[in-house]
Amino acid sequence: GAVVSQHPSRVICKSGTSVKIECRSLDFQATTMFWYRQFPKQSLMLMATSNEGSKATYEQGVEKDKFLINHASLTLSTLTVTSAHPEDSSFYICSARTRMGQGSTDTQYFGPGTRLTVL
Amino acid sequence: GQSLEQPSEVTAVEGAIVQINCTYQTSGFYGLSWYQQHDGGAPTFLSYNALDGLEETGRFSSFLSRSDSYGYLLLQELQMKDSASYFCAVRASDKIIFGKGTRLHILP
């Protein structure tokens, strides 16, 4: 099946620094990529949707100036957590989607996630 | 907006059958998915229902009733490795929204 990678898998940083997380679709072109955040024992919360070559669409309550998303190519999207604070510590998961299916099998593939710890 | 309801926890015995229900409210519904997530891992896709009825994939089956805004995941011949969280997710418009997840505990 399709593969989505994320890098790094784990990152620990100091409060106030910025962290960049990469999401790559390895064997397909992703027209749309999604970024989710998951706190321990909670659900995945959609943060933003990004389409290649255009600005990301952020969900309500997500600060676009804090969580910068770039989707410069059909295989790469990046999420930068700027001026990270301990409350930003979470599991960040990206997913990538190919062309929208017509009632067929779901075509959204998830990356393995990045665990961010802010000290 | 969208909302999904599923039980927070379910407990079953190894070898048994368990059903995890999901009800949803959404606009622009395309289909209902189920994902499995083990502790510390990312969600993995299990099934997708766009039309009413039952879809079977090995030990797992998923059902959808669009008129009732309801679906369920059925796990048969439970194994200890099935202990995980299970999320129903709705494809609405151009994105997927997840439920809060059901933690499945399996007893030997």
Side-chain angles (χ1 to χ4, degrees), chain A residues 4-13 19-24 35-36 38 79 88-94 111-118, chain B residues 37 39-42:
Chain A
V4 175
S5 71
Q6 274 185 246
H7 177 80
S9 58
R10 288 179 179 272
V11 58
I12 300 172
C13 69
V19 175
K20 179 184 283 189
I21 303 170
E22 291 187 349
C23 176
R24 292 181 185 273
W35 287 94
Y36 293 83
Q38 186 179 33
L79 167 69
D88 298 323
S89 298
S90 187
F91 193 44
Y92 291 87
I93 306 170
C94 73
T114 297
R115 190 161 300 283
L116 170 63
T117 302
V118 184
Chain B
Q37 186 180 31
D39 287 344

Side-chain angles (χ1 to χ4, degrees), chain A residues 36 38 43 59 97 104 106, chain B residues 37 48 91 94-96 99:
Chain A
Y36 293 83
Q38 186 179 33
S43 185
E59 295 298 302
R97 191 177 71 200
S104 62
D106 186 60
Chain B
Q37 186 180 31
Y48 176 68
R91 170 180 276 180
D94 64 345
K95 54 192 176 186
I96 292 178

Side-chain angles (χ1 to χ4, degrees), chain B residues 3 36-37 51 57 68 81:
Chain B
S3 68
Q36 179 191 61
Q37 186 180 31
L51 304 174
T57 308
D68 295 324
K81 67 178 182 179

Side-chain angles (χ1 to χ4, degrees), chain B residues 1 3 10-11 14 19 23-24 30-32 37-38 42 50 52-53 66 69 73 88 90 92 97-98 105:
Chain B
S3 68
V10 172
T11 301
E14 189 176 15
Q19 178 174 312
T23 57
Y24 59 87
Y30 284 85
L32 186 71
Q37 186 180 31
H38 286 98
D52 287 356
R66 295 175 67 124
S69 298
L73 178 69
C88 60
V90 166
I97 305 298
F98 284 78
H105 303 280

Side-chain angles (χ1 to χ4, degrees), chain A residues 36-97:
Chain A
Y36 293 83
R37 178 170 55 183
Q38 186 179 33
F39 292 106
K41 300 190 186 304
Q42 294 189 25
S43 185
L44 285 80
M45 300 302 298
L46 180 64
M47 300 174 67
T49 302
S50 75
N51 293 294
E52 184 264 340
S54 61
K55 289 184 178 180
T57 303
Y58 290 80
E59 295 298 302
Q60 192 172 8
V62 178
E63 301 173 59
K64 62 181 180 181
D65 294 331
K66 181 169 182 63
F67 298 99
L68 302 178
I69 292 172
N70 183 277
H71 191 166
S73 77
L74 286 172
T75 59
L76 173 64
S77 176
T78 60
L79 167 69
T80 301
V81 183
T82 62
S83 187
H85 288 94
E87 57 266 30
D88 298 323
S89 298
S90 187
F91 193 44
Y92 291 87
I93 306 170
C94 73
S95 72
R97 191 177 71 200

